[in-house]
Amino acid sequence: MELRHLRYLLAVAEHANFTRAAEALHVSQPTLSQQIKQLERSLRVQLLDRSGRTVRLTDAGEAYTRYARHALQDLAAGERAVLDVQDLSRGSLRLAVTPTFTAYLIGPLVAEFHARHAGIALDLREMAQDRIEAALLADELDLGIAFSGAHLPGIAGTDLFTETLALVVGPDHPCAGRSEPLPAAGLGDHPLALLSRDFATRGHIDAFLTEQGVTPRIAVEANSINALAEIVGRSALATVLPEAITRGPWRLHPVPVAPPLPARTVTLLCREAGYRSAAARAFTALAGRWVREQGRPPA
């Protein structure tokens, strides 16, 4: 048995088809079939059921692929450990963030990290928190930035700072520059542009409005924070976003609300038992130091 046998078997299991698996692996289908048969002969068991319209794992195949997947993950971690250069002259970092952080947090952090460690290649992704945690457990990520709370087993979190939501308006809104808190009950009088319901932030907003007995007048829903900020900055619509976004380039203004909109704790996530590369350790230290020095989220 060789490593390529494991990779070939997992590819067939993923695609449920020899042709598509061969294309993904950039090998011929006969070569792929031959290699899988070699693996089955060496194990003296049938791993794949080829009798149907799609190829599927047998019971033995299901059991074996669980170990094969873990073995490849461990070997990949071992390769990264061997290649990891402690002086950070080279290396890589796989980082994912939930969407709101791309608007105000990641730019300054990544710029600072690159200035300090230009030899580190950064793979940055934006995804929902549940996907971040699953990817960390699958060793597809090194770090994630999301929110505190109940995490999947095997995920550890380090709190960074508290993110406060705020009513946000552009310069043409009647409430721009208002210092007196706006009663939460009055939010129903203002047309809103809000994030779509696939954002966790929207869930916090809806819960707050429900608690205050407010039926919102939603004029715009968007699944892009940048688009939402542009719309609000150029119109008389209001929105609810992290207060730190108002320190960005969009000419936005926070408006105090009574009672205040909810806050949540921003957390740096990692796999509890995973290998921590020098790059991951350096980014973790940088994020913590930045927040301590700034006394607030970067902007």
Side-chain angles (χ1 to χ4, degrees):
M1 186 271 292
E2 300 180 20
L3 287 180
R4 70 171 181 276
H5 292 138
L6 303 185
R7 296 190 176 97
Y8 289 178
L9 176 64
L10 292 175
V12 175
E14 177 184 352
H15 293 280
N17 180 280
F18 273 93
T19 300
R20 289 195 293 270
E23 291 173 351
L25 293 165
H26 304 293
V27 299
S28 68
Q29 183 176 335
T31 297
L32 177 60
S33 298
Q34 181 185 41
Q35 294 294 313
I36 295 295
K37 288 178 181 177
Q38 285 181 5
L39 178 60
E40 288 178 321
R41 283 197 297 269
S42 69
L43 295 172
R44 298 179 184 177
V45 68
Q46 183 178 344
L47 299 171
L48 296 171
D49 180 358
R50 304 163 174 82
S51 63
R53 296 182 63 182
T54 60
V55 180
R56 62 186 185 87
L57 292 166
T58 63
D59 291 343
E62 290 278 4
Y64 188 74
T65 53
R66 285 197 295 271
Y67 290 97
R69 191 171 289 110
H70 287 307
L72 290 177
Q73 289 175 358
D74 288 343
L75 286 170
E79 290 174 2
R80 291 197 302 276
V82 169
L83 295 174
D84 182 25
V85 178
Q86 296 303 310
D87 65 4
L88 294 168
S89 61
R90 61 183 172 87
S92 63
L93 178 66
R94 303 167 299 171
L95 173 68
V97 300
T98 53
T100 54
F101 298 127
T102 57
Y104 72 91
L105 176 67
I106 283 304
L109 275 179
V110 170
E112 178 73 15
F113 185 76
H114 179 71
R116 291 172 178 267
H117 311 296
I120 301 298
L122 180 64
D123 177 5
L124 177 63
R125 311 176 202 177
E126 183 182 273
M127 60 181 70
Q129 179 155 344
D130 57 348
R131 288 184 56 206
I132 290 176
E133 295 190 14
L136 285 168
L137 292 175
D139 195 28
E140 296 168 358
L141 294 173
D142 299 305
L143 296 171
I145 300 180
F147 298 104
S148 64
H151 302 305
L152 293 177
I155 296 295
T158 301
D159 292 346
L160 293 176
F161 61 89
T162 298
E163 179 188 78
T164 303
L165 293 177
L167 183 68
V168 175
V169 300
D172 297 328
H173 193 279
C175 291
R178 176 179 176 139
S179 58
E180 181 183 353
L182 177 72
L187 290 174
D189 299 330
H190 298 273
L192 299 175
L194 295 180
L195 293 169
S196 55
R197 287 183 169 82
D198 49 344
F199 283 77
T201 299
R202 176 61 183 276
H204 291 105
I205 296 168
D206 288 345
F208 175 81
L209 294 174
T210 299
E211 288 173 3
Q212 302 304 316
V214 174
T215 300
R217 294 168 54 195
I218 301 174
V220 175
E221 284 189 310
N223 67 353
S224 165
I225 292 173
N226 286 342
L228 200 60
E230 286 285 346
I231 291 167
V232 170
R234 298 171 184 271
S235 70
L237 295 173
T239 189
V240 178
L241 288 173
E243 190 271 339
I245 286 178
T246 61
R247 300 193 290 273
W250 292 288
R251 299 186 305 146
L252 300 176
H253 304 270
V255 178
V257 175
L261 284 147
R264 55 254 179 107
T265 301
V266 178
T267 302
L268 189 68
L269 303 176
C270 65
R271 186 158 59 107
E272 209 165 39
Y275 167 72
R276 302 290 298 279
S277 69
R281 295 195 300 272
F283 187 89
T284 299
L286 171 65
R289 183 171 60 252
W290 184 298
V291 171
R292 289 193 300 272
E293 291 175 353
Q294 298 287 316
R296 62 180 188 178

